[in-house]
Amino acid sequence: MNFLEERIARDGVVKEGNVLKVDSFLNHQMDVELFDKMGEEYARRFAGKKITKILTIEASGIGIASVVALHFHVPVVFAKKSKSINLDGEMYTAEVESFTHKNVSHVIVSKKFLTPEDHILIIDDFLANGCALQGLIQIAKQAGATVEGIGIAIEKGFQSGGRIIRNLGYQLESLAIVDSMDAATGSITFREQ
Ligand code: 5GP
């Protein structure tokens, strides 16, 4: 097991409805030293790629992306969740269906912060069905920017997102892939990588 898998095995809690709770170290209380190790690992996996910006999504991606960015020496842009779509043409927008909240929201990024010259590394905490990633990819496309890669902390390999995103041809690096988990026993099985 790698360092993230070990931490998930120790502190992750399996909930009903295919939800893995990791709020003691990843997305509520945040272990920034763990994020730093994740950044080191992404820097290794994406070595040689020209990255000019990290793109993530509000809210739980922001902490991880910020620490990861220290390893790439680039700014972080996060897509903001917005109730209304701003139609003044100043924003890139995409629709994202939330896996955890089961609602659809719009996410927006100001046109000031992504341009066709940008080479983007997308970072997020979880990959489930891939809606959040598809929204971020759509925003990068609207900007004419290049998506160089995608770094995920925890991919739930039994949901469809990973397959969809890899089939689109992106370099998707998930530091932990959960192949199965059981709310009754609390057991979590990781994919060999
Ligand atoms: P997707 O769009 O890939 O279906 O879901 C990704 C988003 O849903 C992530 O940004 C994450 O916030 C949330 N999410 C999906 N599955 C889980 C889970 O098992 N646990 C937690 N804590 N968040 C999840």
Side-chain angles (χ1 to χ4, degrees), residues 2 5-6 15 17 30 42 46 49 51 61 66 78 83-84 94 101 113 128 131 138 157 160 174 180 187 191:
N2 69 23
E5 292 165 338
E6 275 173 9
K15 295 281 182 191
M30 299 187 289
Y42 291 131
F46 295 106
K49 295 252 178 174
I51 309 285
S66 301
F78 64 92
K83 288 214 172 67
S84 58
H101 301 111
F113 303 128
C131 296
Q138 230 180 300
S160 59
S174 302
S180 65
S187 76
R191 188 176 302 172

Side-chain angles (χ1 to χ4, degrees), residues 5 29 55 58 64 73 82 90 93 97 107 119 124 167:
E5 292 165 338
Q29 176 168 260
L55 178 64
E58 196 176 43
I64 299 170
H73 309 285
S82 162
E90 296 300 310
T93 68
E97 194 179 330
V107 292
H119 293 255
D124 204 6
N167 283 344

Side-chain angles (χ1 to χ4, degrees), residues 18-20 27 60 99-100 124-132 156:
N18 284 336
V19 171
L20 177 60
N27 53 18
S60 48
F99 173 80
T100 36
D124 204 6
D125 59 343
F126 269 94
L127 171 55
N129 293 322
C131 296
K156 291 189 292 180

Side-chain angles (χ1 to χ4, degrees), residues 14 21 40 42 52 62 98 110 115 118-119 123 134-135 140 142 153 171 182 189:
V14 183
K21 258 194 117 106
E40 211 176 278
Y42 291 131
T52 63
I62 298 174
S98 162
S110 168
T115 72
D118 277 316
H119 293 255
I123 295 286
Q134 303 244 39
Q142 287 170 36
Q171 182 186 349
D182 186 334
T189 311

Side-chain angles (χ1 to χ4, degrees), residues 81-109:
K81 291 186 175 144
S82 162
K83 288 214 172 67
S84 58
I85 329 178
N86 182 325
L87 291 175
D88 64 8
E90 296 300 310
M91 301 281 181
Y92 305 118
T93 68
E95 260 188 13
V96 173
E97 194 179 330
S98 162
F99 173 80
T100 36
H101 301 111
K102 311 283 179 221
N103 60 357
V104 175
S105 59
H106 290 96
V107 292
I108 57 172
V109 169

